[in-house]
Amino acid sequence: MSVSCVLAILVSQLMAAPGFAQGLQPMDTPPAVLYDSGRSVPLAPYLAQLAGDAEDSGALAGVQFPFGTKQLRSAVLAKDGMPVFNAAWMTQPTFVVAADELSMRWLAFNHARLVQAQAVGIVVRAGSVTAYRALQRLAAPMRLAPDTGGWLSEQLAAAGAGVYPLLVHTDGRAYQILFQAFEGEGAGVGQHRTGDHDE
């Protein structure tokens, strides 16, 4: 029997299944993790590629506002260059921000470096759609995605980097001072702080 015949039979059986005609229904509960090898790849950076920009009215469909994390706070990173993720997970630089004044100042200051690095953004706190849209406009042309699941926040907090704003570079390390991340000037020394150049 040819492969095309087998596929045709499988498709016809699927279409005849009891639930197929009703279509896929939205899940009332989030999916459960059945197994985690410890080497799972975080989903948030991939979602950021799909999230729309500030002009896309459907980009935030299903997101409940306000949303936020209890694990992360707006503060200074204890040490720039601290390892937080396996570098193999990082397909591109990913910055973590909130829709607040400090994050917006940090994003504006570092915008050119982040755009040049083709970074994507994860928003861990936003009080309203309006605040989120303002952050999207500031980040453009970079993409943002809301992190409403808590996994990213838990991982950062467990690694000792439970703050925002910050960047997780492709080396798996967290930075707030981005010239260290992109130019290697004193990475990991942690002598500079975000507030040093925000004024």
Side-chain angles (χ1 to χ4, degrees):
M1 183 178 292
S2 69
V3 174
S4 59
C5 289
V6 171
L7 288 174
I9 292 170
L10 289 175
V11 170
S12 64
Q13 288 178 346
L14 175 62
M15 293 179 70
F20 189 84
Q22 299 173 1
L24 297 176
Q25 300 297 320
M27 295 177 61
D28 292 332
T29 57
V33 176
L34 300 178
Y35 172 73
D36 186 349
S37 67
R39 295 181 306 222
S40 302
V41 178
L43 185 59
Y46 300 98
L47 291 178
Q49 294 285 19
L50 304 175
D53 58 26
E55 306 307 318
D56 184 353
S57 60
L60 297 177
V63 177
Q64 298 292 320
F65 289 89
F67 69 85
T69 173
K70 295 180 180 178
Q71 287 88 3
L72 305 184
R73 67 189 195 287
S74 177
V76 171
L77 184 64
K79 178 181 175 184
D80 276 295
M82 68 169 53
V84 293
F85 292 133
N86 184 331
W89 293 357
M90 303 303 300
T91 59
Q92 64 193 115
T94 302
F95 59 93
V96 179
V97 291
D100 64 10
E101 182 181 356
L102 178 62
S103 288
M104 294 183 85
R105 290 168 60 196
W106 181 89
L107 183 55
F109 185 85
N110 293 294
H111 189 269
R113 282 190 177 99
L114 293 168
V115 169
Q116 185 176 12
Q118 299 181 341
V120 293
I122 307 300
V123 182
V124 293
R125 182 183 304 277
S128 66
V129 174
T130 302
Y132 189 97
R133 296 284 192 209
L135 191 62
Q136 278 184 309
R137 284 190 292 274
L138 181 61
M142 296 178 290
R143 297 290 183 151
L144 300 180
D147 177 43
T148 56
W151 182 91
L152 177 65
S153 299
E154 290 170 8
Q155 295 298 311
L156 289 172
V163 302
Y164 59 82
L166 59 74
L167 170 87
V168 182
H169 201 11
T170 52
D171 60 3
R173 295 176 178 270
Y175 302 87
Q176 280 184 327
I177 308 302
L178 298 196
F179 75 84
Q180 294 183 10
F182 295 124
E183 298 172 19
E185 298 178 17
V189 174
Q191 294 178 341
H192 301 282
R193 293 292 181 262
T194 302
D196 293 345
H197 50 55
D198 277 342
E199 298 301 322

